[in-house]
Amino acid sequence: MNIYQKLKTDHDRHRELMRQIADTSGDSEERKRLFDVLVKEVESHAAAEEQTLYSELIESVETQPQTRHSVSEHKEASDYLEELQSTDMSNPAWLMTFKKFKDALEHHMKEEENDVFELSEDVIDDDRAVALGAKFEGRKEVEKRRVEG
């Protein structure tokens, strides 16, 4: 699998986790469990993506502006997750913040899939995309262990 296929697979998983979380309520065990999985998945994905795909794209003049924008959206998502982790899940503010996070992350994933992938395919050849896919998987596993603490 190339880097784009691996990222899209993760994005689909993130979308499904967010959908499942949106179907929960209050401070339930299911919401806590799903949210813990989502945090681990999103944080490790973003870090690995920055260390593989974006570290290459930042070097190209053509892809640098979009790369900077995408990395700033990772920071925004991380800020939302931090806020959610410090808010009681039974507080109505938690769900409002979660919806903002969900909208922001869905926007980011759509933008990556529609814009970033197309731009990067002009800069990264097919063989390199496959190599980056393998590198991404390795980095993601390292990042998951880091996020788990």
Side-chain angles (χ1 to χ4, degrees), residues 42-106:
V42 169
E43 293 285 2
S44 62
H45 170 97
E49 185 176 57
E50 288 175 15
Q51 294 165 21
T52 56
L53 180 63
Y54 287 125
S55 67
E56 297 221 359
L57 295 180
I58 197 74
E59 295 179 16
S60 171
V61 173
E62 298 87 32
T63 56
Q64 208 171 72
Q66 183 62 53
T67 300
R68 291 183 193 282
H69 174 73
S70 293
V71 170
S72 74
E73 288 181 340
H74 284 178
K75 171 69 170 104
E76 178 186 25
S78 184
D79 290 346
Y80 275 125
L81 289 174
E82 192 175 302
E83 183 179 346
L84 287 163
Q85 288 173 311
S86 66
T87 305
D88 186 328
M89 287 183 170
S90 62
N91 183 330
W94 191 92
L95 190 56
M96 288 176 25
T97 302
F98 179 76
K99 286 179 180 178
K100 290 177 189 174
F101 162 76
K102 184 176 179 290
D103 288 346
L105 190 60
E106 286 174 340

Side-chain angles (χ1 to χ4, degrees), residues 103-119:
D103 288 346
L105 190 60
E106 286 174 340
H107 161 82
H108 170 72
M109 293 184 297
K110 184 177 178 184
E111 194 171 71
E112 273 187 348
E113 292 166 6
N114 294 333
D115 300 337
V116 175
F117 291 3
E118 187 176 317
L119 280 172

